[in-house]
Amino acid sequence: MTEELFRDDAALLQCRARVLAADAQGVRLDRTVFYPQGGGQAGDAGVLQLDDGRVLQVVDTRKGDAPGEILHLLAEGTDLAGLAPGCELTACIDETRRRAHMRFHTATHLLCALVPHAVNGCSITERYARLDFHMHEPLDREQLTQGIARLVAEAHPVRHHWIGEDELDANPQLVRSMSVQPPRGQGRIRVLEIGGVDLQPCGGTHVANTADIGAVVVTKVEKKSAMTRRVILGFAETS
Ligand SMILES: [Zn+2]
């Protein structure tokens, strides 16, 4: 198991960690700031700094087969010398890439608040985010862009907290106010709350305030099928 530091502090850019194992599949660490691809959000890239001065490129981060397993994928042909189990190193994420993921990811929550329909697809990358809504009504690109801009300007705090399944059972109104049903069976659920705007279970990384999303625009609205409307977000051009 890897301690997932990014779950409680998305602003952490680096951490000291110990190697659990390293092979062609990837590097497993006892703790990490690298978010593994999941929940629609792309994995982190970055570097592993070895204490002998070598710097290894991490090109992507994925979940492994075992529960809680996180694989740091190294560039092809990387020499694994110096990555023996127990070795200490510093794991650093690519800040620019993660920052884009956090801004887009938080913006998709705003979109969920503006479009009250079920989401049946989501992809968050460094350059764009897309969300598929299960609906047949048309969506207006300009109206959505303005709605996002308003929620960004209102500077709502973004917080997460953990709740137990028993707490959820004792507060059925919480489930009703969530746009997504929480996953069951793991004992606790991570809930993302944008005060008065959106509340839903989410394990991704987000900015701390909607103001930090900055200038995001809806670049495209597409009719993917009779019952799917796709919304694509991009960063507004800034000089
Ligand atoms: Zn989220």
Side-chain angles (χ1 to χ4, degrees):
M1 279 288 274
T2 304
E3 191 186 343
E4 302 177 337
L5 301 176
F6 52 84
R7 299 269 188 223
D8 280 315
D9 189 357
L12 273 182
L13 298 178
Q14 61 175 59
C15 70
R16 290 291 287 172
R18 210 176 276 277
V19 175
L20 297 177
D23 53 33
Q25 268 198 302
V27 180
R28 298 162 186 80
L29 302 172
D30 65 343
R31 59 210 297 267
T32 191
V33 289
F34 282 71
Y35 180 86
Q37 179 184 305
Q41 184 178 327
D44 280 318
V47 294
L48 301 180
Q49 296 173 346
L50 308 192
D51 287 351
D52 65 6
R54 288 169 63 213
V55 176
L56 309 182
Q57 298 294 325
V58 176
V59 294
D60 202 353
T61 312
R62 298 291 172 89
K63 289 176 182 167
D65 293 333
E69 188 177 31
I70 294 177
L71 299 171
H72 303 76
L73 310 190
L74 299 178
E76 216 175 300
T78 302
D79 180 5
L80 299 180
L83 288 172
C87 280
E88 280 197 51
L89 50 76
T90 302
C92 310
I93 58 166
D94 177 332
E95 183 178 2
T96 306
R97 174 174 160 116
R98 164 65 82 74
R99 186 90 199 140
H101 294 168
M102 286 163 59
R103 290 175 61 197
F104 273 143
H105 189 136
T106 314
T108 63
H109 282 267
L110 301 186
L111 208 48
C112 285
L114 295 169
V115 183
H117 291 277
V119 171
N120 56 16
C122 173
S123 179
I124 294 154
T125 74
E126 198 174 350
R127 289 180 191 81
Y128 68 89
R130 70 170 165 73
L131 220 48
D132 291 340
F133 291 97
H134 184 72
M135 61 188 290
H136 59 81
E137 299 87 343
L139 287 169
D140 184 78
R141 188 169 72 91
E142 192 49 40
Q143 213 173 350
L144 290 176
T145 291
Q146 285 171 13
I148 291 170
R150 174 176 55 82
L151 293 168
V152 168
E154 285 172 1
H156 297 277
V158 180
R159 300 188 191 93
H160 75 270
H161 55 275
W162 297 88
I163 58 171
E165 288 179 5
D166 47 348
E167 190 184 337
L168 199 63
D169 296 335
N171 296 282
Q173 78 285 356
L174 206 52
V175 174
R176 273 201 295 277
S177 64
M178 287 184 184
S179 55
V180 178
Q181 287 296 309
R184 297 280 186 150
Q186 285 155 359
R188 62 177 197 159
I189 295 149
R190 188 176 188 270
V191 175
L192 197 279
E193 180 172 17
I194 303 178
V197 178
D198 187 47
L199 177 71
Q200 60 178 291
C202 184
T205 59
H206 311 85
V207 293
N209 189 291
T210 59
D212 299 332
I213 294 171
V216 162
V217 295
V218 174
T219 55
K220 204 172 182 185
V221 173
E222 277 179 281
K223 179 179 176 178
K224 287 306 285 184
S225 71
M227 278 307 290
T228 303
R229 294 294 176 278
R230 170 167 291 181
V231 180
I232 299 173
L233 300 175
F235 292 126
E237 295 296 327
T238 49
S239 54

